[in-house]
Coordinates of all heavy atoms in Angstrom, one line a residue:
M1044 N -1.2 -22.3 -0.2 CA -1.4 -22.1 -1.6 C -1.2 -20.7 -2.0 O -0.6 -20.4 -3.0 CB -2.9 -22.5 -1.9 CG -3.2 -24.0 -1.9 SD -4.9 -24.4 -2.1 CE -5.3 -23.7 -3.6
L1045 N -1.6 -19.8 -1.1 CA -1.4 -18.3 -1.4 C 0.1 -18.0 -1.4 O 0.6 -17.3 -2.3 CB -2.1 -17.5 -0.4 CG -3.6 -17.5 -0.6 CD1 -4.3 -16.7 0.6 CD2 -4.1 -16.9 -1.9
S1046 N 0.8 -18.5 -0.4 CA 2.2 -18.2 -0.3 C 3.0 -18.7 -1.5 O 4.0 -18.1 -1.9 CB 2.8 -18.6 1.0 OG 2.8 -20.0 1.1
R1047 N 2.6 -19.8 -2.0 CA 3.3 -20.4 -3.2 C 3.2 -19.4 -4.4 O 4.0 -19.4 -5.3 CB 2.7 -21.7 -3.6 CG 3.3 -22.9 -2.8 CD 3.0 -24.2 -3.5 NE 1.7 -24.4 -4.0 CZ 0.7 -25.1 -3.3 NH1 1.0 -25.7 -2.2 NH2 -0.5 -25.2 -3.8
E1048 N 2.1 -18.6 -4.4 CA 1.9 -17.7 -5.5 C 2.3 -16.2 -5.1 O 2.0 -15.3 -5.8 CB 0.4 -17.6 -5.8 CG -0.2 -19.0 -6.3 CD 0.4 -19.5 -7.6 OE1 0.8 -18.7 -8.4 OE2 0.6 -20.7 -7.7
G1049 N 3.0 -16.1 -3.9 CA 3.5 -14.8 -3.5 C 2.5 -13.9 -2.8 O 2.8 -12.7 -2.7
A1050 N 1.4 -14.5 -2.4 CA 0.4 -13.7 -1.7 C 0.4 -14.1 -0.2 O 0.8 -15.2 0.2 CB -1.0 -13.9 -2.3
Q1051 N -0.2 -13.2 0.6 CA -0.3 -13.6 2.0 C -1.6 -12.9 2.6 O -2.0 -11.9 2.1 CB 0.9 -13.1 2.8 CG 1.1 -11.6 2.9 CD 2.3 -11.2 3.6 OE1 3.4 -11.7 3.3 NE2 2.2 -10.4 4.7
I1052 N -2.1 -13.5 3.7 CA -3.2 -13.0 4.4 C -2.6 -12.4 5.7 O -2.0 -13.2 6.5 CB -4.2 -14.0 4.7 CG1 -4.9 -14.5 3.4 CG2 -5.3 -13.5 5.7 CD1 -5.8 -15.7 3.5
D1053 N -2.7 -11.1 6.0 CA -2.2 -10.5 7.2 C -3.1 -10.7 8.4 O -2.7 -10.8 9.5 CB -2.0 -9.0 7.0 CG -0.9 -8.7 5.9 OD1 0.2 -9.4 6.0 OD2 -1.1 -7.9 5.1
A1054 N -4.4 -10.8 8.1 CA -5.4 -10.9 9.3 C -6.7 -11.3 8.7 O -7.0 -11.1 7.6 CB -5.5 -9.6 10.0
I1055 N -7.5 -11.9 9.6 CA -8.9 -12.2 9.3 C -9.7 -11.5 10.4 O -9.5 -11.7 11.6 CB -9.1 -13.7 9.3 CG1 -8.3 -14.3 8.1 CG2 -10.6 -14.0 9.1 CD1 -8.3 -15.9 8.1
Y1056 N -10.7 -10.8 10.0 CA -11.6 -10.1 10.9 C -13.0 -10.7 10.7 O -13.4 -11.0 9.6 CB -11.7 -8.6 10.6 CG -10.4 -7.9 10.9 CD1 -9.4 -7.8 9.9 CD2 -10.1 -7.3 12.1 CE1 -8.2 -7.2 10.1 CE2 -8.9 -6.7 12.3 CZ -7.9 -6.6 11.3 OH -6.7 -6.0 11.5
Y1057 N -13.7 -10.8 11.8 CA -15.1 -11.2 11.8 C -15.9 -10.5 12.9 O -15.3 -10.1 13.9 CB -15.3 -12.7 11.9 CG -14.8 -13.3 13.2 CD1 -15.7 -13.4 14.3 CD2 -13.4 -13.6 13.4 CE1 -15.2 -13.9 15.5 CE2 -13.0 -14.0 14.6 CZ -13.9 -14.2 15.7 OH -13.4 -14.7 16.9
C1058 N -17.2 -10.4 12.7 CA -18.1 -9.8 13.7 C -18.9 -11.0 14.4 O -19.6 -11.7 13.8 CB -19.1 -8.9 13.1 SG -20.4 -8.4 14.2
P1059 N -18.7 -11.1 15.7 CA -19.4 -12.2 16.5 C -20.7 -11.7 17.0 O -21.4 -12.4 17.7 CB -18.4 -12.5 17.6 CG -17.8 -11.1 17.9 CD -17.7 -10.4 16.6
H1060 N -21.1 -10.4 16.7 CA -22.3 -9.8 17.3 C -23.5 -9.9 16.5 O -23.5 -10.0 15.3 CB -22.0 -8.3 17.5 CG -20.7 -8.0 18.2 ND1 -19.6 -7.4 17.5 CD2 -20.3 -8.3 19.5 CE1 -18.6 -7.3 18.4 NE2 -19.0 -7.8 19.5
L1061 N -24.6 -10.0 17.2 CA -25.9 -10.0 16.5 C -26.9 -9.3 17.5 O -27.2 -9.9 18.6 CB -26.4 -11.4 16.2 CG -27.7 -11.5 15.4 CD1 -27.5 -10.8 14.0 CD2 -28.1 -12.9 15.2
A1062 N -27.4 -8.1 17.2 CA -28.1 -7.3 18.1 C -29.3 -8.1 18.7 O -29.6 -8.0 19.9 CB -28.6 -6.0 17.5
E1063 N -30.0 -9.0 17.9 CA -31.1 -9.7 18.3 C -30.8 -11.2 18.7 O -31.6 -12.0 18.7 CB -32.2 -9.8 17.2 CG -32.5 -8.4 16.6 CD -31.6 -8.0 15.5 OE1 -30.9 -8.9 14.9 OE2 -31.4 -6.8 15.3
G1064 N -29.5 -11.4 18.9 CA -29.0 -12.8 19.1 C -29.4 -13.3 20.5 O -29.9 -12.5 21.4
T1065 N -29.2 -14.6 20.7 CA -29.6 -15.2 22.0 C -28.5 -15.3 23.0 O -28.7 -15.6 24.2 CB -30.2 -16.6 21.7 OG1 -29.2 -17.4 21.0 CG2 -31.5 -16.5 20.9
V1066 N -27.2 -15.1 22.6 CA -26.1 -15.1 23.5 C -25.9 -13.7 24.0 O -25.5 -12.8 23.3 CB -24.8 -15.7 22.8 CG1 -23.7 -15.7 23.8 CG2 -25.1 -17.1 22.2
K1067 N -26.2 -13.5 25.3 CA -26.2 -12.2 25.8 C -25.0 -11.4 25.6 O -25.0 -10.2 25.2 CB -26.5 -12.3 27.3 CG -26.8 -10.9 28.0 CD -27.2 -11.0 29.4 CE -27.5 -9.6 30.0 NZ -27.9 -9.7 31.3
E1068 N -23.8 -12.0 25.8 CA -22.6 -11.2 25.7 C -22.3 -10.7 24.2 O -21.5 -9.8 24.0 CB -21.4 -12.0 26.2 CG -21.1 -13.2 25.4 CD -20.2 -14.2 26.1 OE1 -20.8 -15.1 26.8 OE2 -19.0 -14.2 26.0
Y1069 N -22.9 -11.3 23.3 CA -22.7 -10.9 21.9 C -23.9 -10.2 21.3 O -23.9 -9.8 20.1 CB -22.4 -12.1 21.0 CG -21.1 -12.8 21.3 CD1 -21.1 -14.1 21.8 CD2 -19.9 -12.1 21.2 CE1 -19.9 -14.7 22.1 CE2 -18.7 -12.7 21.6 CZ -18.7 -14.0 22.0 OH -17.5 -14.6 22.3
S1070 N -24.9 -10.0 22.1 CA -26.2 -9.3 21.7 C -26.0 -7.8 21.8 O -26.6 -7.2 22.7 CB -27.4 -9.8 22.4 OG -27.6 -11.2 22.2
V1071 N -25.2 -7.2 21.0 CA -24.9 -5.8 21.0 C -25.0 -5.2 19.6 O -24.8 -5.9 18.6 CB -23.5 -5.5 21.6 CG1 -23.4 -5.9 23.1 CG2 -22.4 -6.1 20.8
D1072 N -25.4 -4.0 19.6 CA -25.5 -3.2 18.3 C -24.1 -2.6 18.1 O -23.8 -1.5 18.5 CB -26.6 -2.1 18.5 CG -26.8 -1.4 17.2 OD1 -26.6 -2.0 16.1 OD2 -27.2 -0.3 17.2
C1073 N -23.3 -3.4 17.4 CA -21.9 -3.0 17.3 C -21.6 -2.2 16.0 O -22.5 -2.0 15.2 CB -21.0 -4.3 17.2 SG -21.3 -5.2 15.7
Q1074 N -20.4 -1.7 15.9 CA -19.9 -1.0 14.6 C -19.3 -1.9 13.6 O -18.9 -1.5 12.5 CB -19.0 0.1 15.0 CG -19.7 1.2 15.9 CD -20.8 1.9 15.1 OE1 -20.7 2.2 13.9 NE2 -22.0 2.0 15.8
C1075 N -19.1 -3.2 14.0 CA -18.3 -4.1 13.1 C -19.2 -4.9 12.2 O -18.7 -5.5 11.2 CB -17.3 -4.9 13.8 SG -17.9 -5.9 15.2
R1076 N -20.5 -5.0 12.5 CA -21.3 -5.8 11.6 C -21.7 -5.0 10.3 O -22.2 -3.9 10.4 CB -22.6 -6.2 12.3 CG -23.6 -7.0 11.4 CD -24.5 -7.9 12.2 NE -23.9 -9.0 12.8 CZ -23.7 -10.2 12.3 NH1 -24.1 -10.5 11.1 NH2 -23.1 -11.1 13.0
K1077 N -21.3 -5.5 9.2 CA -21.6 -4.9 7.9 C -23.1 -4.7 7.8 O -23.8 -5.6 8.2 CB -21.0 -5.7 6.8 CG -19.5 -5.7 6.8 CD -18.9 -6.6 5.7 CE -19.3 -8.0 6.0 NZ -18.8 -8.9 4.9
P1078 N -23.6 -3.6 7.2 CA -22.9 -2.7 6.4 C -22.1 -1.6 7.1 O -21.5 -0.7 6.5 CB -24.0 -2.0 5.6 CG -25.2 -2.1 6.5 CD -25.1 -3.4 7.3
R1079 N -22.0 -1.7 8.4 CA -21.2 -0.7 9.1 C -19.7 -1.1 8.8 O -19.4 -2.2 8.7 CB -21.5 -0.7 10.6 CG -22.8 -0.1 10.9 CD -23.1 -0.1 12.4 NE -24.4 0.5 12.6 CZ -25.1 0.3 13.7 NH1 -24.7 -0.4 14.7 NH2 -26.3 0.9 13.9
P1080 N -18.8 -0.1 8.8 CA -17.5 -0.3 8.3 C -16.4 -0.6 9.4 O -15.2 -0.5 9.2 CB -17.1 0.9 7.6 CG -17.9 2.0 8.3 CD -19.1 1.3 8.8
G1081 N -16.9 -0.9 10.6 CA -15.9 -1.1 11.7 C -14.8 -2.0 11.5 O -13.6 -1.7 11.9
M1082 N -15.0 -3.1 10.9 CA -13.9 -4.1 10.6 C -12.9 -3.5 9.7 O -11.7 -3.7 9.8 CB -14.4 -5.4 10.1 CG -15.1 -6.2 11.1 SD -15.5 -7.9 10.6 CE -16.9 -7.6 9.5
L1083 N -13.4 -2.8 8.7 CA -12.4 -2.1 7.7 C -11.6 -1.1 8.4 O -10.4 -1.0 8.2 CB -13.2 -1.5 6.5 CG -14.1 -2.5 5.7 CD1 -14.8 -1.8 4.6 CD2 -13.2 -3.6 5.1
Q1084 N -12.3 -0.3 9.2 CA -11.5 0.8 10.0 C -10.5 0.2 10.9 O -9.4 0.7 11.0 CB -12.5 1.7 10.7 CG -13.4 2.5 9.8 CD -14.6 3.1 10.4 OE1 -15.2 2.5 11.4 NE2 -15.0 4.3 10.0
K1085 N -10.9 -0.9 11.6 CA -9.9 -1.6 12.5 C -8.7 -2.1 11.7 O -7.5 -1.9 12.1 CB -10.6 -2.7 13.2 CG -9.7 -3.4 14.2 CD -10.5 -4.5 15.0 CE -9.6 -5.1 16.0 NZ -10.2 -6.3 16.6
A1086 N -8.9 -2.7 10.6 CA -7.8 -3.3 9.8 C -7.0 -2.1 9.3 O -5.7 -2.2 9.3 CB -8.4 -4.1 8.6
A1087 N -7.6 -1.0 8.9 CA -6.8 0.1 8.4 C -5.9 0.7 9.5 O -4.7 1.0 9.3 CB -7.8 1.2 7.9
R1088 N -6.4 0.8 10.8 CA -5.6 1.2 11.9 C -4.5 0.3 12.2 O -3.3 0.7 12.4 CB -6.5 1.3 13.2 CG -7.3 2.6 13.3 CD -7.9 2.8 14.7 NE -8.6 1.6 15.2 CZ -9.9 1.4 15.0 NH1 -10.6 2.2 14.2 NH2 -10.5 0.3 15.5
E1089 N -4.8 -1.0 12.2 CA -3.8 -2.0 12.7 C -2.7 -2.3 11.6 O -1.6 -2.7 11.9 CB -4.5 -3.3 13.0 CG -5.3 -3.2 14.3 CD -6.1 -4.4 14.7 OE1 -6.0 -5.5 13.9 OE2 -6.7 -4.4 15.7
Y1090 N -3.0 -2.1 10.3 CA -2.1 -2.3 9.3 C -1.7 -1.1 8.4 O -1.1 -1.3 7.4 CB -2.6 -3.5 8.4 CG -2.6 -4.8 9.1 CD1 -3.7 -5.2 9.9 CD2 -1.5 -5.6 9.2 CE1 -3.7 -6.4 10.6 CE2 -1.4 -6.7 9.9 CZ -2.5 -7.1 10.6 OH -2.5 -8.3 11.3
D1091 N -2.1 0.1 9.0 CA -1.7 1.3 8.3 C -2.2 1.3 6.8 O -1.4 1.5 5.9 CB -0.2 1.6 8.4 CG 0.1 3.0 8.1 OD1 -0.8 3.9 8.2 OD2 1.3 3.3 7.7
V1092 N -3.4 1.0 6.6 CA -4.0 0.9 5.3 C -4.7 2.2 4.9 O -5.4 2.7 5.7 CB -5.0 -0.3 5.2 CG1 -5.7 -0.3 3.9 CG2 -4.3 -1.6 5.5
D1093 N -4.4 2.6 3.7 CA -5.1 3.8 3.2 C -6.4 3.3 2.5 O -6.3 2.7 1.4 CB -4.2 4.5 2.2 CG -4.9 5.8 1.6 OD1 -6.1 6.0 1.8 OD2 -4.2 6.5 0.9
L1094 N -7.5 3.5 3.1 CA -8.8 2.9 2.6 C -9.1 3.6 1.3 O -9.8 2.9 0.5 CB -9.9 3.0 3.6 CG -9.7 2.1 4.8 CD1 -10.7 2.5 5.9 CD2 -9.8 0.6 4.4
S1095 N -8.7 4.8 1.0 CA -9.1 5.4 -0.2 C -8.3 4.8 -1.4 O -8.6 5.0 -2.5 CB -8.8 6.9 -0.2 OG -7.4 7.2 -0.2
M1096 N -7.3 4.0 -1.1 CA -6.5 3.3 -2.1 C -6.8 1.8 -2.1 O -6.1 1.0 -2.7 CB -5.0 3.5 -1.8 CG -4.5 5.0 -1.9 SD -4.7 5.7 -3.6 CE -3.3 4.8 -4.4
S1097 N -7.8 1.5 -1.4 CA -8.2 0.0 -1.2 C -9.4 -0.4 -2.0 O -10.2 0.5 -2.4 CB -8.4 -0.2 0.3 OG -7.3 0.1 1.1
I1098 N -9.6 -1.6 -2.1 CA -10.7 -2.2 -2.9 C -11.4 -3.2 -2.0 O -10.8 -4.1 -1.4 CB -10.2 -2.9 -4.1 CG1 -9.4 -1.9 -5.0 CG2 -11.3 -3.5 -4.9 CD1 -8.5 -2.6 -6.0
M1099 N -12.7 -3.0 -1.8 CA -13.5 -3.9 -1.1 C -14.2 -4.8 -2.1 O -15.0 -4.4 -2.9 CB -14.6 -3.1 -0.3 CG -15.6 -4.0 0.4 SD -14.8 -5.1 1.7 CE -16.2 -5.7 2.5
I1100 N -13.9 -6.1 -2.0 CA -14.5 -7.1 -2.9 C -15.5 -7.9 -2.0 O -15.1 -8.5 -1.0 CB -13.5 -8.0 -3.6 CG1 -12.5 -7.2 -4.4 CG2 -14.2 -9.1 -4.4 CD1 -11.4 -8.0 -5.0
G1101 N -16.8 -8.0 -2.4 CA -17.7 -8.7 -1.6 C -18.8 -9.3 -2.4 O -19.0 -9.0 -3.6
D1102 N -19.7 -10.1 -1.8 CA -20.8 -10.7 -2.5 C -22.1 -10.4 -2.0 O -23.1 -11.0 -2.3 CB -20.6 -12.3 -2.6 CG -20.6 -12.9 -1.2 OD1 -20.6 -12.2 -0.2 OD2 -20.6 -14.1 -1.1
T1103 N -22.2 -9.3 -1.2 CA -23.5 -8.9 -0.7 C -23.6 -7.4 -0.7 O -22.5 -6.7 -0.7 CB -23.7 -9.3 0.8 OG1 -22.9 -8.6 1.6 CG2 -23.5 -10.8 1.0
P1104 N -24.8 -6.8 -0.7 CA -24.9 -5.4 -0.6 C -24.3 -4.8 0.6 O -23.7 -3.7 0.6 CB -26.5 -5.2 -0.6 CG -27.0 -6.3 -1.3 CD -26.1 -7.5 -0.9
A1105 N -24.3 -5.5 1.7 CA -23.7 -5.0 2.9 C -22.2 -4.8 2.7 O -21.6 -3.9 3.3 CB -23.9 -6.0 4.1
D1106 N -21.5 -5.7 2.0 CA -20.1 -5.6 1.7 C -19.8 -4.3 0.9 O -18.9 -3.5 1.2 CB -19.6 -6.7 0.9 CG -19.7 -8.1 1.6 OD1 -19.6 -8.1 2.9 OD2 -19.9 -9.1 0.9
I1107 N -20.7 -4.0 -0.1 CA -20.5 -2.8 -0.9 C -20.7 -1.6 0.0 O -20.0 -0.6 -0.1 CB -21.4 -2.9 -2.1 CG1 -21.2 -4.1 -2.9 CG2 -21.3 -1.6 -2.9 CD1 -19.7 -4.4 -3.3
M1108 N -21.8 -1.6 0.8 CA -22.1 -0.4 1.6 C -20.9 -0.1 2.6 O -20.6 1.0 2.8 CB -23.4 -0.6 2.3 CG -24.6 -0.6 1.4 SD -26.1 -1.2 2.2 CE -26.5 0.2 3.2
A1109 N -20.4 -1.2 3.2 CA -19.3 -1.0 4.1 C -18.1 -0.4 3.4 O -17.4 0.6 3.9 CB -18.9 -2.3 4.8
G1110 N -17.8 -0.9 2.2 CA -16.6 -0.3 1.5 C -16.8 1.1 1.1 O -15.9 1.9 1.2
K1111 N -18.0 1.4 0.6 CA -18.3 2.8 0.2 C -18.3 3.8 1.4 O -17.8 4.9 1.3 CB -19.7 2.9 -0.5 CG -19.7 2.2 -1.8 CD -20.5 3.0 -2.8 CE -20.4 2.4 -4.2 NZ -19.9 3.3 -5.1
A1112 N -18.7 3.3 2.6 CA -18.7 4.1 3.8 C -17.3 4.6 4.1 O -17.2 5.7 4.8 CB -19.3 3.4 4.9
V1113 N -16.3 3.9 3.7 CA -14.9 4.3 4.1 C -14.1 4.7 2.9 O -12.9 4.9 2.9 CB -14.2 3.2 4.9 CG1 -14.8 3.1 6.3 CG2 -14.2 1.9 4.2
G1114 N -14.7 4.9 1.7 CA -14.1 5.4 0.6 C -13.3 4.4 -0.3 O -12.5 4.8 -1.1
C1115 N -13.6 3.1 -0.1 CA -12.9 2.1 -0.9 C -13.6 2.1 -2.3 O -14.7 2.4 -2.5 CB -13.1 0.7 -0.3 SG -12.3 0.4 1.2
K1116 N -12.8 1.6 -3.3 CA -13.4 1.2 -4.5 C -14.1 -0.1 -4.2 O -13.7 -0.9 -3.3 CB -12.4 1.0 -5.6 CG -12.0 2.2 -6.4 CD -11.7 1.9 -7.8 CE -11.3 3.1 -8.6 NZ -12.1 4.3 -8.4
T1117 N -15.2 -0.5 -4.9 CA -16.0 -1.7 -4.5 C -16.2 -2.5 -5.7 O -16.4 -2.0 -6.8 CB -17.3 -1.3 -3.9 OG1 -18.0 -0.5 -4.8 CG2 -17.1 -0.5 -2.6
V1118 N -16.1 -3.8 -5.5 CA -16.5 -4.8 -6.5 C -17.5 -5.8 -5.9 O -17.2 -6.4 -4.9 CB -15.2 -5.6 -7.0 CG1 -15.6 -6.6 -8.1 CG2 -14.1 -4.7 -7.4
L1119 N -18.6 -5.9 -6.6 CA -19.6 -6.9 -6.2 C -19.4 -8.2 -7.0 O -19.4 -8.1 -8.3 CB -21.0 -6.4 -6.4 CG -22.1 -7.4 -6.2 CD1 -22.2 -7.8 -4.7 CD2 -23.5 -6.9 -6.7
V1120 N -19.1 -9.3 -6.3 CA -19.0 -10.6 -7.0 C -20.4 -11.2 -7.1 O -21.0 -11.5 -6.0 CB -18.0 -11.5 -6.3 CG1 -18.0 -12.9 -7.0 CG2 -16.6 -10.9 -6.3
Q1121 N -21.0 -11.2 -8.2 CA -22.4 -11.6 -8.4 C -22.5 -12.6 -9.5 O -22.6 -12.2 -10.7 CB -23.2 -10.4 -8.6 CG -24.7 -10.7 -8.6 CD -25.5 -9.4 -8.8 OE1 -25.1 -8.5 -9.6 NE2 -26.5 -9.2 -8.0
P1122 N -22.5 -13.9 -9.2 CA -22.6 -14.9 -10.3 C -23.9 -14.7 -11.0 O -24.9 -14.2 -10.5 CB -22.6 -16.2 -9.5 CG -22.0 -15.9 -8.2 CD -22.4 -14.5 -7.9
P1123 N -23.9 -15.0 -12.3 CA -25.1 -14.9 -13.2 C -26.3 -15.5 -12.5 O -26.2 -16.6 -12.0 CB -24.7 -15.5 -14.5 CG -23.3 -15.5 -14.5 CD -22.8 -15.6 -13.1
G1124 N -27.4 -14.9 -12.5 CA -28.7 -15.5 -12.0 C -28.8 -15.3 -10.5 O -29.8 -15.8 -9.9
N1125 N -27.9 -14.7 -9.9 CA -27.9 -14.5 -8.4 C -28.0 -13.0 -8.1 O -27.3 -12.5 -7.3 CB -26.6 -15.1 -7.8 CG -26.8 -15.2 -6.3 OD1 -27.8 -15.1 -5.7 ND2 -25.6 -15.4 -5.6
G1126 N -29.0 -12.4 -8.7 CA -29.1 -10.9 -8.6 C -29.9 -10.5 -7.4 O -30.7 -11.2 -6.8
F1127 N -29.6 -9.3 -6.9 CA -30.4 -8.6 -5.9 C -30.3 -7.1 -6.1 O -29.5 -6.6 -6.8 CB -30.0 -9.0 -4.5 CG -28.6 -9.1 -4.3 CD1 -27.7 -8.1 -4.4 CD2 -28.1 -10.4 -3.9 CE1 -26.4 -8.2 -4.2 CE2 -26.7 -10.5 -3.7 CZ -25.8 -9.5 -3.9
E1128 N -31.3 -6.4 -5.6 CA -31.3 -4.9 -5.7 C -30.2 -4.3 -4.8 O -30.0 -4.7 -3.7 CB -32.6 -4.4 -5.2 CG -33.8 -4.7 -6.2 CD -33.7 -4.1 -7.5 OE1 -33.3 -2.9 -7.6 OE2 -33.9 -4.8 -8.5
M1129 N -29.5 -3.4 -5.4 CA -28.4 -2.7 -4.7 C -28.9 -1.3 -4.2 O -29.3 -0.6 -5.1 CB -27.2 -2.6 -5.5 CG -26.5 -3.9 -5.9 SD -25.8 -4.7 -4.4 CE -24.5 -3.5 -3.9
A1130 N -28.7 -1.0 -3.0 CA -29.0 0.3 -2.5 C -27.9 1.3 -3.0 O -28.1 2.4 -3.3 CB -29.0 0.4 -1.0
E1131 N -26.7 0.8 -3.1 CA -25.6 1.6 -3.6 C -24.9 0.8 -4.7 O -24.7 -0.4 -4.6 CB -24.5 1.8 -2.5 CG -25.1 2.6 -1.4 CD -24.0 3.4 -0.7 OE1 -23.1 4.0 -1.4 OE2 -24.0 3.4 0.5
N1132 N -24.6 1.4 -5.8 CA -24.0 0.7 -6.9 C -22.5 0.5 -6.7 O -21.8 1.4 -6.3 CB -24.2 1.5 -8.2 CG -25.6 1.5 -8.6 OD1 -26.3 0.6 -8.4 ND2 -26.0 2.6 -9.2
P1133 N -22.0 -0.7 -6.9 CA -20.6 -1.0 -6.8 C -19.9 -0.3 -8.0 O -20.5 0.0 -9.0 CB -20.5 -2.5 -6.8 CG -21.7 -2.9 -7.6 CD -22.8 -1.9 -7.2
D1134 N -18.6 -0.1 -7.8 CA -17.8 0.4 -8.9 C -17.7 -0.6 -10.0 O -17.6 -0.2 -11.2 CB -16.4 0.9 -8.4 CG -16.5 2.0 -7.4 OD1 -17.0 3.1 -7.8 OD2 -16.1 1.8 -6.3
F1135 N -17.6 -1.9 -9.7 CA -17.5 -2.9 -10.7 C -18.4 -4.1 -10.2 O -18.6 -4.3 -9.0 CB -16.1 -3.5 -10.8 CG -15.0 -2.4 -11.2 CD1 -14.3 -1.8 -10.2 CD2 -14.8 -2.1 -12.5 CE1 -13.3 -0.9 -10.5 CE2 -13.9 -1.1 -12.8 CZ -13.1 -0.5 -11.9
I1136 N -18.8 -4.9 -11.2 CA -19.6 -6.1 -10.9 C -18.8 -7.2 -11.6 O -18.5 -7.1 -12.8 CB -21.0 -6.1 -11.4 CG1 -21.8 -5.0 -10.7 CG2 -21.7 -7.4 -11.2 CD1 -23.2 -4.8 -11.2
A1137 N -18.4 -8.2 -10.9 CA -17.6 -9.4 -11.4 C -18.4 -10.6 -11.3 O -19.3 -10.8 -10.4 CB -16.3 -9.5 -10.6
K1138 N -18.1 -11.6 -12.1 CA -18.9 -12.9 -12.1 C -18.2 -13.9 -11.1 O -18.9 -14.8 -10.6 CB -19.0 -13.5 -13.5 CG -17.7 -13.9 -14.1 CD -18.0 -14.5 -15.5 CE -16.8 -15.2 -16.1 NZ -15.7 -14.2 -16.5
D1139 N -17.0 -13.6 -10.7 CA -16.3 -14.5 -9.7 C -15.1 -13.7 -9.2 O -14.8 -12.6 -9.7 CB -16.0 -15.9 -10.3 CG -15.1 -15.8 -11.5 OD1 -14.3 -14.9 -11.6 OD2 -15.2 -16.7 -12.3
L1140 N -14.4 -14.3 -8.3 CA -13.3 -13.6 -7.7 C -12.1 -13.3 -8.7 O -11.5 -12.2 -8.7 CB -12.7 -14.4 -6.5 CG -11.7 -13.7 -5.6 CD1 -12.2 -12.3 -5.1 CD2 -11.3 -14.6 -4.4
M1141 N -11.9 -14.3 -9.5 CA -10.8 -14.1 -10.5 C -11.2 -12.9 -11.4 O -10.4 -12.1 -11.8 CB -10.6 -15.3 -11.3 CG -9.5 -15.2 -12.4 SD -7.9 -14.8 -11.6 CE -7.3 -16.4 -11.1
D1142 N -12.5 -12.8 -11.8 CA -13.0 -11.7 -12.7 C -12.8 -10.4 -11.9 O -12.4 -9.4 -12.5 CB -14.4 -12.0 -13.0 CG -15.0 -11.0 -14.0 OD1 -14.2 -10.5 -14.9 OD2 -16.2 -10.7 -14.0
A1143 N -13.1 -10.4 -10.6 CA -12.9 -9.2 -9.8 C -11.5 -8.7 -9.8 O -11.2 -7.5 -10.0 CB -13.4 -9.5 -8.4
V1144 N -10.6 -9.6 -9.6 CA -9.1 -9.3 -9.6 C -8.7 -8.7 -10.9 O -8.0 -7.7 -11.0 CB -8.3 -10.5 -9.2 CG1 -6.8 -10.2 -9.4 CG2 -8.6 -10.9 -7.8
T1145 N -9.2 -9.3 -12.0 CA -8.9 -8.8 -13.3 C -9.4 -7.4 -13.6 O -8.7 -6.6 -14.1 CB -9.4 -9.8 -14.4 OG1 -8.9 -11.1 -14.1 CG2 -9.1 -9.4 -15.8
L1146 N -10.6 -7.1 -13.1 CA -11.2 -5.8 -13.3 C -10.5 -4.7 -12.6 O -10.4 -3.6 -13.1 CB -12.7 -5.9 -12.7 CG -13.7 -6.5 -13.6 CD1 -15.0 -6.7 -12.8 CD2 -14.0 -5.7 -14.9
V1147 N -9.9 -5.0 -11.5 CA -9.2 -3.9 -10.7 C -7.7 -3.9 -10.9 O -7.1 -3.0 -10.3 CB -9.6 -4.0 -9.2 CG1 -11.1 -3.8 -9.0 CG2 -9.1 -5.3 -8.6
S1148 N -7.1 -4.8 -11.6 CA -5.7 -4.8 -11.8 C -5.3 -3.9 -13.0 O -6.1 -3.6 -13.8 CB -5.1 -6.1 -12.0 OG -5.9 -7.2 -12.0
Ligands
ZN1271 ZN1 -19.7 -6.7 15.6

């Protein structure tokens, strides 16, 4: 669907770790679990991305904190009625992903 519209996904990153988890090999205090920015830094290295020119769009405070930690502009996607306190304010607040894209284009 994305390629039909001229877009592509270069990579997908995820953190399999949980410091208090029950699977020993993944029970580590890693740098890739948000709000730490390890996944963003890894993507930047692997794809030569300038994070200061990048936009982190997410739906949790941890997403916003990770983006801010590496100098991204940030957009919180927060549907009406689904509010929470933010430790750090996002640059934009959007009601859905399409709204987020419109705000930053
Ligand atoms: Zn991790």
Side-chain angles (χ1 to χ4, degrees):
M1044 288 172 58
L1045 290 171
S1046 64
R1047 280 199 311 262
E1048 301 296 328
Q1051 68 184 52
I1052 294 173
D1053 293 317
I1055 295 173
Y1056 295 87
Y1057 63 93
C1058 168
H1060 311 111
L1061 185 62
E1063 311 82 27
T1065 56
V1066 180
K1067 187 174 181 181
E1068 65 199 89
Y1069 296 117
S1070 298
V1071 296
D1072 185 26
C1073 66
Q1074 293 301 312
C1075 54
R1076 178 159 290 269
K1077 295 176 290 180
R1079 292 179 177 161
M1082 284 190 284
L1083 300 177
Q1084 293 166 324
K1085 183 177 182 191
R1088 280 192 307 273
E1089 293 180 356
Y1090 290 92
D1091 196 24
V1092 172
D1093 181 350
L1094 290 170
S1095 72
M1096 298 292 290
S1097 300
I1098 302 162
M1099 174 65 169
I1100 300 175
D1102 63 352
T1103 69
D1106 296 329
I1107 301 308
M1108 292 168 72
K1111 290 220 174 237
V1113 291
C1115 294
K1116 277 211 177 323
T1117 57
V1118 182
L1119 176 66
V1120 176
Q1121 187 175 42
N1125 191 16
F1127 38 63
E1128 291 294 317
M1129 292 294 296
E1131 297 207 43
N1132 291 326
D1134 295 299
F1135 301 98
I1136 296 176
K1138 66 180 187 297
D1139 56 31
L1140 188 54
M1141 183 58 84
D1142 188 32
V1144 171
T1145 303
L1146 282 169
V1147 298
S1148 6

